[in-house]
Amino acid sequence: MKYSWLLAGILFFAAGCEKKQERSGEKTTRVTLAQLEKRTFQMRIPVQGTVQPVEFATISAKIGGTLELLRVDEGDVVKKGDVLFEIDRQVLRNQVVVKEDEIRVREAALASSQSALNIARISRDIAKIALEQALRNYNRAKNLLENKAISTADFEIMETEFKKAEMDVASAEAAVTAAEAEVANAESQLQQARSNLEIARKNLADSVITAPFDCVITDTMVEENEYVSSGQPILRLENHNQLEVICFLSAVYYEQVVPGETAVDFTGSDGQAVARSQITYKAPSIDPESRTFKVKISVPRSTGLVSGMLCELNIILVEREGYGLPESAVLLRANDILIAYTINGENRAQSVEIRRGIVDRGYAEILNAGDLLEHRFVITGQTFINNGSLLTEAGAAAEE
């Protein structure tokens, strides 16, 4: 009984060896298998840009004079409306006082001219009344002379009085015209004095310069107590709370870029996204020489970037979820057909046609993934196999 069991074992072992020998005649290819992987696919444009503030300004002196007070230094953080510097104000204050006094003089001159005009108008009205009376007397004397009721001498007296009254009215009209001209001149001089006062007040106001927005002082160009001329640069300001990057893209992407919608990834030194933003501005036209257009991208504060830095970005033209394979697993065959190999129930290679979408970071998007989710695909070793090749999965236990 004991020997019969031993004999059966020897026969079983021998049969197994014979089967292995039979199979050993066909070459087996060791491969790695994987199912479709779900991931995010992006169509990106890698670009570089320099970070710069959205708000920045070079502040210049609005008037000439001695820089009496410089209240800030490089690196200072200031708020909108904070005083930055003052130019010598004493002369400007004196000019305001002089112009105010000049207005009072001009107002008095206007009042005097208006009074003279009123008197001239009254005199003219009196002369006109006298002329009307002289005209009536003249007409009556003419009738009487025709009826020989008065002498020629008496008529000539009335005629003389009438002509004198006409001359008095003409003289009064001239006086009124002259008085009106004097009033107009006084009004013009008063208006000019008021304009001069406004200029003096503006110069006084312009001697104190305040910050136009929240900012950091990045450069001071003069020292306190130096003389500065009108228009001379004094300070440079930047608002570091609002940064942006300006880039130039090829004209072929113009229609695909939409401000407020097109996403942008800021990348680190390892090429991985560290923050996401979006394009805020697209140039309304394309430069005809470079065939590029300008875009602006807001910089998230989480990036830690500061003004002047060079940064790497990826502009995301398309982004979608999908299933994919390593790009090397998709093979090109005749007639531009793309295939990938799967393994069937007999451990043999079987090709399937692939419709490839976006290729992103070494992975190819499979557009017809819906029918292939249950398959396992060959992702290494695929270049050494054909349809029907016998496959062995790397890492799988050998058959006994």
Side-chain angles (χ1 to χ4, degrees):
M1 186 71 176
K2 176 179 179 182
Y3 291 105
S4 62
W5 280 103
L6 179 61
L7 180 60
I10 292 172
L11 292 174
F12 179 80
F13 179 79
C17 289
E18 289 177 358
K19 290 181 180 178
K20 287 185 178 180
Q21 288 175 354
E22 291 174 2
R23 292 198 300 267
S24 65
E26 183 176 2
K27 182 180 177 180
T28 301
T29 304
R30 186 176 295 274
V31 296
T32 304
L33 302 173
Q35 290 183 297
L36 295 176
E37 180 179 334
K38 188 174 184 180
R39 58 191 293 135
T40 300
F41 290 90
Q42 296 175 339
M43 185 182 296
R44 304 185 301 276
I45 310 172
V47 294
Q48 286 185 329
T50 301
V51 179
Q52 62 184 40
V54 175
E55 289 184 304
F56 60 92
T58 298
I59 305 299
S60 302
K62 294 184 178 180
I63 59 170
T66 301
L67 188 63
E68 190 175 66
L69 182 63
L70 182 60
R71 294 196 176 186
V72 295
D73 202 352
E74 291 181 14
D76 287 352
V77 178
V78 297
K79 295 291 185 181
K80 179 179 180 180
D82 287 351
V83 174
L84 301 176
F85 61 85
E86 297 180 8
I87 295 174
D88 187 6
R89 294 165 58 80
Q90 187 56 50
V91 173
L92 300 174
R93 290 193 189 96
N94 292 340
Q95 289 178 353
V96 170
V97 172
V98 169
K99 300 307 179 184
E100 288 174 340
D101 290 342
E102 183 182 355
I103 284 181
R104 284 191 284 271
V105 171
R106 297 304 178 188
E107 286 175 339
L110 176 60
S112 177
S113 298
Q114 288 174 334
S115 177
L117 175 59
N118 290 334
I119 293 172
R121 285 172 175 169
I122 292 172
S123 298
R124 181 190 60 186
D125 293 341
I126 293 173
K128 285 181 177 180
I129 293 173
L131 176 59
E132 291 174 358
Q133 182 62 45
L135 178 59
R136 286 194 295 269
N137 293 337
Y138 172 71
N139 290 331
R140 187 181 304 112
K142 190 188 311 185
N143 291 331
L144 292 174
L145 179 63
E146 290 174 356
N147 295 324
K148 298 181 179 181
I150 61 172
S151 65
T152 302
D154 290 337
F155 171 76
E156 290 177 351
I157 292 173
M158 294 300 173
E159 185 180 32
T160 301
E161 290 180 354
F162 169 65
K163 291 181 178 181
K164 180 178 180 303
E166 284 184 325
M167 294 176 61
D168 289 344
V169 168
S171 177
E173 289 285 4
V176 168
T177 301
E180 288 175 340
E182 187 64 27
V183 168
N185 183 56
E187 288 176 339
S188 176
Q189 290 182 346
L190 177 59
Q191 183 61 41
Q192 183 62 51
R194 287 171 175 166
S195 297
N196 292 339
L197 176 59
E198 290 301 317
I199 292 172
R201 286 173 174 171
K202 184 179 184 303
N203 288 339
L204 180 60
D206 287 346
S207 67
V208 179
I209 303 299
T210 60
F213 46 80
D214 295 350
C215 58
V216 175
I217 309 300
T218 60
D219 193 13
T220 57
M221 306 170 192
V222 297
E223 298 293 334
E224 198 169 87
N225 295 320
E226 284 188 28
Y227 180 85
V228 295
S229 57
S230 176
Q232 181 178 344
I234 307 297
L235 301 170
R236 179 171 173 81
L237 320 176
E238 294 183 357
N239 182 356
H240 288 174
N241 294 323
Q242 298 181 34
L243 301 176
E244 66 182 2
V245 177
I246 295 178
C247 301
F248 292 87
L249 306 182
S250 170
V252 299
Y253 301 116
Y254 192 82
E255 296 299 330
Q256 296 172 268
V257 172
V258 181
E261 296 182 12
T262 302
V264 179
D265 283 341
F266 286 76
T267 59
S269 57
D270 58 357
Q272 299 300 312
V274 296
R276 173 157 288 197
S277 183
Q278 63 183 10
I279 289 177
T280 57
Y281 167 83
K282 178 177 77 171
S285 61
I286 295 170
D287 182 76
E289 295 184 1
S290 65
R291 305 303 300 163
T292 61
F293 64 98
K294 182 168 69 174
V295 296
K296 296 181 181 180
I297 302 150
S298 60
V299 178
R301 300 189 70 175
S302 60
T303 61
L305 296 171
V306 299
S307 177
M309 278 188 172
L310 185 68
C311 63
E312 305 282 342
L313 311 99
N314 285 320
I315 296 176
I316 313 301
L317 297 179
V318 179
E319 182 176 57
R320 59 180 178 243
E321 294 288 330
Y323 289 90
L325 287 172
E327 184 182 2
S328 59
V330 180
L331 305 174
L332 178 64
R333 292 296 183 256
N335 300 321
D336 294 330
I337 295 175
L338 296 173
I339 67 161
Y341 285 108
T342 64
I343 186 169
N344 62 20
E346 298 177 353
N347 291 335
R348 294 186 179 276
Q350 180 177 339
S351 66
V352 294
E353 188 171 340
I354 293 297
R355 288 192 296 111
R356 185 173 61 188
I358 299 171
V359 177
D360 179 20
R361 289 165 287 190
Y363 268 74
E365 180 189 20
I366 307 303
L367 298 179
N368 57 331
D371 301 328
L372 306 174
L373 293 178
E374 301 303 321
H375 289 68
R376 291 196 302 161
F377 289 84
V378 178
I379 60 173
T380 63
Q382 65 274 15
T383 56
F384 305 106
I385 63 176
N386 292 300
N387 268 328
S389 296
L390 185 62
L391 307 179
T392 299
E393 184 175 3
E399 291 186 15
E400 293 297 332

